[in-house]
Amino acid sequence: MPEITPRRRSGPIRPPLAFGHETWDFGTIPETGGPVVHVFRFTNSGTKPVVVERVGVTCGCMKPTFSQAPVLPGGSGEIGIAYDPADRPGA
């Protein structure tokens, strides 16, 4: 049962991104039932533009998509995660 969790950069510089939700469980998907996609939506709650430079995933079965355009303060963006269950029995 794959679960997706966006993580924010740790340390003194931490982007002020407010996500509607930070985890997603795709549930049980048969090997032939994908790929499936979920979109995480966020808002820049800070005072400066934010650029999403990279999105890490924990499995080669997941592929992130996102824009590297600046998200202005008060603006919103999306991070899509595609999960492909092919050749992943029991995942």
Side-chain angles (χ1 to χ4, degrees):
M1 191 169 6
E3 185 171 300
I4 316 294
T5 305
R7 299 186 188 276
R8 298 183 184 124
R9 185 184 298 181
S10 60
I13 300 173
R14 191 171 162 150
L17 301 180
F19 285 85
H21 57 279
E22 295 191 359
T23 62
W24 184 258
D25 184 341
F26 284 111
T28 302
I29 304 167
E31 274 188 88
T32 58
V36 293
V37 177
H38 180 73
V39 177
F40 291 92
R41 292 177 174 80
F42 64 87
T43 301
N44 177 357
S45 58
T47 59
K48 297 180 180 181
V50 171
V51 175
V52 176
E53 295 177 345
R54 65 186 156 135
V55 174
V57 294
T58 59
C59 174
C61 58
M62 292 184 267
K63 180 180 179 183
T65 57
F66 57 97
S67 171
Q68 290 186 316
V71 179
L72 300 176
S76 60
E78 298 179 344
I79 298 172
I81 302 290
Y83 169 70
D84 189 353
D87 301 319
R88 305 238 181 247

